[in-house]
């Protein structure tokens, strides 16, 4: 069991309040996932050739200025960073693969959380309430957030094993369910698509699979539809992209999901109670996503 | 009239008060406010009182109901009226999966739609859905009636025993061993009585089709002896 929550704002005026609206949703899903929690925030988009790189270290007092200096010395990259607890969000003009490879080789103590122009993934082990406090979630601003509370089944309770997962620029996946063919699919993706994996987790394989499909030219919708054929198991997925989010349940709808839409937002949760305190929830258009059908929203 | 506001009173306290009622209680009318998707609201009632819930509820609302009337002015999550024994559960909105699961008796009336597995393993309950039902409804249904005024999803009545299924709209597909059956006089009477009990006047008995078990799966067949 796990909990999924997502909030996509249609009304730009609410962007300064997204964290305040979202934090209670995440905490409400503690019963479904008390091990770890995380979120992918989309906001403060950087422009042109700039990228945002979110990196985690277990210690709160890690020497981030040293990383900034090494980026300059070794890669010739100027960067700025802001800290959110033990996650540093760097902004730089650089090649994302080069930065990722460099971190991999030179700083195995660091975990790369996300790369993109908008995405920031913040996740840790612990009760959702503790995660909300740690990252000061109620103060976050942005256009959409995809969140997850984890009750581990397929792999260890670690920061890297918690959700959201990302395997490409600005894309993230959260998953409720479990996949049974993830080992073979992981091997195939490593061998044929050159994808690197951080964990033994089944959901990371699903994220990698979707990214591979997208790199092959599929849209998010097409990638999710082909997941129905290629992923064996049961799932509710929520996928975040720079411009929006998509949701899908497996064809026999083993895992729950509820969607609510008003003029101001689209919200998703594993259980209605996580939506019940959103403004206008009682009179929102509320429905369960049909099995095997992709639902998506975008700012474009 | 007793009113409990779940924004102020613990759910456990509400359910305990309802469980403490005796058959001769004079507190026969209850209103519950602010359920906000909570699970297990008004479960395990066993006296003839009426509980009206204003708002959407979570899982297992009115589960195991006996004698009581539970009305939800909103929608329900998974397993509403699961294992219901008797009484009436009336949902004014939509319901999620497994509504009336394993229900033994009483009437579950749903004004909106029900999602997958409505009436799964039903054992005598009557379920009337004014809208449509999702896939695998009445899966392994043993006894009772499922009336659907809208459409039914895939695999209706899969592995059905002796539950009676009446659908007015389109059935996307029938499950294993579920077949269309002739509507005989006793079925017309049965369906007519159920529609009347549910207060439904805008659907005619003649417009429904009956489905039931072909009885090929659950009876031993000598042709299948090699499978054992």
């Amino acid at each position: 069991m796990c909990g999924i929550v997502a909030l996509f704002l249609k009304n730009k005026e609410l962007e300064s309040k997204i964290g305040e609206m979202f934090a209670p949703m995440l905490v409400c899903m503690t019963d479904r996932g008390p091990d770890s929690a995380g979120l992918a925030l989309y906001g403060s988009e950087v422009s042109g050739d700039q990228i945002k790189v979110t990196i985690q270290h277990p210690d709160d007092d890690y020497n981030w200025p040293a990383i900034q200096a090494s980026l300059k010395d070794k890669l010739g990259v100027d960067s700025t960073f802001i800290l959110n607890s033990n996650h540093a969000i760097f902004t730089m003009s650089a090649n994302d693969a080069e930065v990722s490879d460099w971190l991999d080789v030179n700083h195995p103590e660091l975990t790369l959380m996300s790369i993109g122009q908008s995405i920031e993934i913040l996740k840790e082990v612990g009760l959702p309430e503790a995660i909300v406090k740690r990252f000061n979630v109620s103060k976050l601003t942005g256009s959409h957030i995809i969140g997850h509370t984890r009750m581990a089944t397929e792999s260890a309770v670690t920061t890297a094993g918690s959700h959201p997962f990302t395997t490409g620029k600005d894309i993230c996946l959260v998953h409720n369910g479990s996949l049974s063919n993830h080992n073979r699919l992981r091997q195939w993706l490593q061998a044929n698509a050159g994808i690197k994996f951080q964990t033994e987790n089944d959901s990371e394989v699903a994220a990698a699979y979707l990214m591979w499909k997208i790199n092959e030219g599929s849209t998010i919708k097409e990638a999710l539809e082909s997941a129905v054929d290629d992923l064996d198991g049961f799932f509710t997925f929520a996928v975040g992209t720079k411009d929006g989010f998509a949701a899908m349940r497996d064809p026999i709808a083993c895992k729950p999901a509820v969607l609510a839409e008003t003029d101001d937002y689209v919200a998703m949760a594993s259980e209605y109670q996580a939506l019940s305190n959103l403004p206008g929830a009682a009179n929102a258009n509320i429905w369960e996503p049909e099995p095997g059908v992709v639902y998506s929203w975008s700012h474009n | 009239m007793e009113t409990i506001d779940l924004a102020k009173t613990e759910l456990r306290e509400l359910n305990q008060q309802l469980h403490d009622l005796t058959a001769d209680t004079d507190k026969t009318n209850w209103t519950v406010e602010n359920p906000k998707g909570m699970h297990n609201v008004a479960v395990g009632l066993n006296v003839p009182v009426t509980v009206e819930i204003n708002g959407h509820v979570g899982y297992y609302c009115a589960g195991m109901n006996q004698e009581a009337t539970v009305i939800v002015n909103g929608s329900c999550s998974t397993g509403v009226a699961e294992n219901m024994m008797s009484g009436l559960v009336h949902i004014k909105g939509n319901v999620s999966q497994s509504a009336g699961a394993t229900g033994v008796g009483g009437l579950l009336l749903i004004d909106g739609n029900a999602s997958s597995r409505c009436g799964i393993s039903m054992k005598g309950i009557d379920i009337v859905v004014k809208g449509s039902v999702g896939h695998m409804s009445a899966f392994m249904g043993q006894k009772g009636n499922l009336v659907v005024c809208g459409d039914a999803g895939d695999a209706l009545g899969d592995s059905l025993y002796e539950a009676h299924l009446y659908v007015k709209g389109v059935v996307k597909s029938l499950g294993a061993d579920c077949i269309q059956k002739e509507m005989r006089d006793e079925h017309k009477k049965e369906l007519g009585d159920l529609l009347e009990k549910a207060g439904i006047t805008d659907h005619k008995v003649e417009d429904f089709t009956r489905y039931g078990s072909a009885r090929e799966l659950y009876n031993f067949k000598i042709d299948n002896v090699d499978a054992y």
Side-chain angles (χ1 to χ4, degrees):
Chain A
M1 191 188 269
C2 290
I4 288 178
V5 279
L7 182 59
F8 171 85
L9 296 179
K10 292 156 78 177
N11 179 355
K12 274 192 164 306
E13 285 172 21
L14 290 172
E15 290 191 3
S16 61
K17 290 190 178 152
I18 195 167
E20 204 180 309
M21 291 164 76
F22 177 83
M25 295 170 67
L26 194 72
V27 173
C28 184
M29 287 293 92
T30 301
D31 292 357
R32 297 188 67 90
D35 297 342
S36 339
L39 60 92
L41 170 72
Y42 292 86
S44 343
E45 190 175 329
V46 294
S47 55
D49 60 351
Q50 287 197 309
I51 51 171
K52 279 158 76 176
V53 181
T54 306
I55 312 167
Q56 179 263 8
H57 188 275
D59 297 337
D60 286 341
D61 52 0
Y62 183 74
N63 187 358
W64 294 105
I67 294 293
Q68 188 182 28
S70 308
L71 278 166
K72 176 74 178 160
D73 292 348
K74 310 288 184 195
L75 290 179
V77 169
D78 285 313
S79 64
T80 57
F81 71 92
I82 53 164
L83 269 183
N84 188 338
S85 176
N86 59 349
H87 287 49
I89 300 132
F90 282 83
T91 301
M92 60 184 89
S93 293
N95 176 290
D96 55 298
E98 204 180 334
V99 174
S100 159
D101 290 345
W102 179 79
L103 282 169
D104 224 22
V105 173
N106 298 288
H107 292 282
E109 79 280 14
L110 298 176
T111 304
L112 178 63
M113 287 287 152
S114 60
I115 295 189
Q117 293 195 296
S118 177
I119 193 172
E120 295 169 21
I121 288 184
L122 309 169
K123 60 185 189 182
E124 269 301 342
V125 171
L127 281 171
E129 193 173 13
I131 307 304
V132 160
K133 276 195 190 128
R134 172 188 272 277
F135 297 118
N136 211 354
V137 172
S138 55
K139 297 290 179 212
L140 296 176
T141 62
S143 60
H144 49 300
I145 307 186
I146 314 294
H148 187 270
T149 60
R150 181 171 189 230
M151 187 180 286
T153 53
E154 294 288 303
S155 63
V157 178
T158 59
T159 302
S162 52
H163 301 225
F165 285 99
T166 180
T167 46
K169 278 165 96 174
D170 281 316
I171 288 196
C172 80
L173 171 79
V174 296
H175 171 210
N176 174 201
S178 78
L179 304 176
S180 42
N181 65 337
H182 63 98
N183 278 324
R184 190 159 293 173
L185 189 56
R186 185 186 296 106
Q187 285 167 3
W188 191 91
L189 288 165
Q190 281 166 333
N192 295 280
I195 295 174
K196 286 185 292 184
F197 289 86
Q198 292 182 339
T199 70
E200 294 296 305
N201 187 285
D202 57 337
S203 311
E204 188 186 17
V205 177
Y209 171 84
L210 295 176
M211 196 60 225
W212 169 69
K213 277 282 173 189
I214 288 160
N215 287 341
E216 296 279 294
S218 298
T219 61
I220 286 278
K221 185 171 185 288
E222 288 162 352
L224 282 168
E225 280 165 354
S226 56
V228 170
D229 296 325
D230 292 334
L231 300 181
D232 185 11
F234 47 97
F235 49 83
T236 292
F237 286 144
V239 176
T241 64
K242 192 161 75 171
D243 303 314
F245 95 103
M248 185 179 70
R249 301 168 79 195
D250 70 57
I252 56 167
C254 281
K255 289 292 174 183
V258 186
L259 285 158
E261 184 164 13
T262 69
D263 289 342
D264 289 334
Y265 59 80
V266 178
M268 174 183 179
S270 298
E271 296 175 15
Y272 169 75
Q273 55 177 334
L275 307 174
S276 65
N277 286 314
L278 285 170
N283 298 312
N285 179 27
I286 292 168
W287 76 101
E288 280 191 336
E290 293 277 334
V293 176
V294 179
Y295 295 78
S296 62
W297 288 268
S298 169
H299 286 298
N300 286 339
Chain B
M1 168 79 79
E2 313 296 314
T3 300
I4 302 280
D5 184 350
L6 287 174
K8 295 175 188 148
T9 306
E10 289 287 323
L11 173 67
R12 220 170 253 274
E13 170 67 23
L14 163 71
N15 282 339
Q16 192 60 56
Q17 287 191 34
L18 293 170
H19 296 167
D20 288 343
L21 298 173
T22 51
D24 58 353
T25 181
D26 50 11
K27 294 178 179 175
T28 54
N29 281 292
W30 293 67
T31 302
V32 178
E33 304 288 351
N34 288 311
K36 293 207 164 177
M38 281 181 204
H39 302 324
N40 312 318
V41 178
V43 293
L45 306 193
N46 59 5
V47 288
V49 297
T50 297
V51 179
E52 190 157 355
I53 301 161
N54 293 320
H56 306 310
V57 293
Y59 292 5
Y60 314 128
C61 179
M64 302 174 281
N65 188 63
Q66 288 191 71
E67 308 277 333
T69 296
V70 178
I71 300 163
V72 179
N73 294 311
S75 291
C76 302
S77 303
T78 296
V80 62
E82 53 100 24
N83 212 65
M84 177 173 171
M85 303 300 287
S86 62
L88 169 69
V89 176
H90 183 182
I91 312 303
K92 304 281 183 78
N94 301 315
V95 301
S96 182
Q97 64 175 339
S98 306
T102 73
V104 175
L107 174 65
L108 169 59
L109 174 59
I110 297 156
D111 287 355
N113 299 313
S115 70
S116 58
R117 308 172 188 98
C118 179
I120 183 171
S121 195
M122 54 196 286
K123 295 174 167 66
I125 188 175
D126 292 324
I127 304 175
V128 178
V129 183
K130 293 187 186 171
S132 299
V133 296
H135 63 270
M136 300 219 77
S137 288
F139 177 55
M140 295 187 85
Q142 291 138 59
K143 198 180 164 197
N145 299 286
L146 172 64
V147 178
V148 181
C149 300
D151 303 328
D154 273 317
L156 175 71
D158 193 285
S159 308
L160 195 67
Y161 291 83
E162 293 299 323
H164 295 179
L165 316 182
Y166 300 98
V167 182
K168 186 181 174 194
V170 177
V171 174
K172 198 168 174 197
S173 67
L174 291 172
D177 211 34
C178 182
I179 55 169
Q180 186 177 327
K181 288 189 162 181
E182 182 199 355
M183 196 78 133
R184 295 195 301 269
D185 287 346
E186 70 259 38
H187 303 116
K188 288 177 185 160
K189 183 176 183 315
E190 182 174 69
L191 176 58
D193 289 349
L194 281 166
L195 291 174
E196 194 185 337
K197 215 165 143 188
I200 294 174
T201 53
D202 50 347
H203 298 293
K204 291 199 293 269
V205 167
E206 298 74 47
D207 296 335
F208 285 79
T209 304
R210 179 169 79 100
Y211 302 89
S213 175
R215 303 187 177 106
E216 295 283 313
L217 256 181
Y218 75 83
N219 282 320
F220 179 74
K221 282 183 79 181
I222 194 69
D223 296 346
N224 296 335
V225 73
D226 287 347
Y228 298 93

